[in-house]
């Protein structure tokens, strides 16, 4: 090959490689957009299923158990529980879920768990790394069971937190 032919070859090859890289980026973006869309559709399906469940099921215990299963199908986690807020006794009562070593009906004084902050603030609490937290007695027990992170969400009725949906993971 002559120098001009070699230069033309390299320029052509460089342009083709740039085009391949650009197409790969566009493909990756389209895959990410499709995944995000699929997640939105899945979330909407979950909301629709929960709405249907709440409208058709009369037993609140069964509603919460099914909600826990639905959450588990969408969010990867190792624990999903629902606890009822008993403000008179200042306790949480475990009423539904799976992934913990406590029986249904188990009660925890609010002062022994940071879940009380969800009730006080009426907003979620996310703790991505429990090993970096100062844990109160009940939360220490969950940490001993292997949970490394958790998310606690308020369930409200008429502006008042009546229950909590709790998710926990062995990974942070």
């Amino acid at each position: 090959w002559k120098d001009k032919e070699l230069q033309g070859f390299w320029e052509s090859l460089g342009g083709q490689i740039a085009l391949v890289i650009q197409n790969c980026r566009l493909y990756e973006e389209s895959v990410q957009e499709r995944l995000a869309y699929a997640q939105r559709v899945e979330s909407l399906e979950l909301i629709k299923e929960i709405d249907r469940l709440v409208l058709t099921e009369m037993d609140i215990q069964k509603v919460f158990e099914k909600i826990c299963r639905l959450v588990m199908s969408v969010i990867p986690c190792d624990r999903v529980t629902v606890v009822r807020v008993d403000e008179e006794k200042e306790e949480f009562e475990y009423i539904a879920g799976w992934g913990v070593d406590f029986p249904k009906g188990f009660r925890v004084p609010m002062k022994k768990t940071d879940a009380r902050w969800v009730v006080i603030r009426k907003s979620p609490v996310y703790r991505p790394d429990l090993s970096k937290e100062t844990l109160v007695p009940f939360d220490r027990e969950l940490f001993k069971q292997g949970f490394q992170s958790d998310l606690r969400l308020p369930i409200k009725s008429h502006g008042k937190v009546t229950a909590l949906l709790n998710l926990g993971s062995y990974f942070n």
Side-chain angles (χ1 to χ4, degrees), residues 82-93 108-126 139 151-166:
V82 175
V83 295
R84 185 177 67 82
V85 176
D86 185 338
E87 287 195 53
E88 283 183 21
K89 294 182 180 179
E90 295 186 357
E91 293 179 330
F92 293 106
E93 179 187 6
V108 176
M110 286 185 184
K111 64 184 177 188
K112 291 192 175 189
T113 174
D114 285 335
R116 71 183 178 278
W117 295 113
V118 178
V119 177
I120 292 167
R121 296 179 184 147
K122 297 182 181 182
S123 63
V125 171
Y126 172 58
D139 298 347
L151 172 64
R152 294 169 170 169
L153 304 159
I155 298 172
K156 300 176 187 175
S157 178
H158 305 288
K160 185 176 172 183
V161 177
T162 58
L164 305 181
L165 176 66
N166 302 293

Side-chain angles (χ1 to χ4, degrees), residues 60-69 95-97 104:
I60 194 70
Q61 179 79 26
K62 288 181 182 177
V63 169
F64 283 133
E65 288 292 345
K66 288 179 183 177
I67 287 173
C68 288
R69 281 195 299 275
I95 59 171
K104 304 283 188 322

Side-chain angles (χ1 to χ4, degrees), residues 12 20 38 55 134:
S12 174
V20 167
L55 292 173
T134 303

Side-chain angles (χ1 to χ4, degrees), residues 2 75 101 141 161:
K2 297 182 182 175
I75 301 171
D101 293 336
E141 180 59 33
V161 177

Side-chain angles (χ1 to χ4, degrees), residues 12-149:
S12 174
L13 184 61
Q16 290 175 36
I17 290 172
L19 187 59
V20 167
I21 291 170
Q22 181 181 9
N23 285 337
C24 286
R25 285 184 183 145
L26 291 172
Y27 175 75
E28 178 63 26
E29 286 175 18
S30 73
V31 167
Q32 293 301 322
E33 287 173 9
R34 282 185 295 208
L35 285 173
Y37 177 75
Q39 288 174 337
R40 285 192 301 272
V41 168
E42 191 174 35
S43 294
L44 290 173
E45 288 294 324
L46 176 65
I47 290 168
K48 181 176 138 187
E49 179 66 19
I50 290 171
D51 282 347
R52 186 195 63 73
L53 177 65
V54 169
L55 292 173
T56 59
E57 181 62 61
M58 299 311 257
D59 183 348
I60 194 70
Q61 179 79 26
K62 288 181 182 177
V63 169
F64 283 133
E65 288 292 345
K66 288 179 183 177
I67 287 173
C68 288
R69 281 195 299 275
L70 289 169
V71 167
M72 175 186 73
S73 72
V74 177
I75 301 171
C77 57
D78 301 297
R79 173 185 96 222
V80 179
T81 62
V82 175
V83 295
R84 185 177 67 82
V85 176
D86 185 338
E87 287 195 53
E88 283 183 21
K89 294 182 180 179
E90 295 186 357
E91 293 179 330
F92 293 106
E93 179 187 6
Y94 173 41
I95 59 171
W98 55 271
V100 292
D101 293 336
F102 309 109
K104 304 283 188 322
F106 180 79
R107 291 176 163 267
V108 176
M110 286 185 184
K111 64 184 177 188
K112 291 192 175 189
T113 174
D114 285 335
R116 71 183 178 278
W117 295 113
V118 178
V119 177
I120 292 167
R121 296 179 184 147
K122 297 182 181 182
S123 63
V125 171
Y126 172 58
R127 299 183 301 174
D129 189 351
L130 294 176
S131 69
K132 295 180 180 176
E133 301 281 336
T134 303
L135 299 173
V136 292
F138 182 74
D139 298 347
R140 248 191 323 274
E141 180 59 33
L142 292 173
F143 185 71
K144 285 180 191 174
Q145 289 182 20
F147 294 103
Q148 299 295 310
S149 61

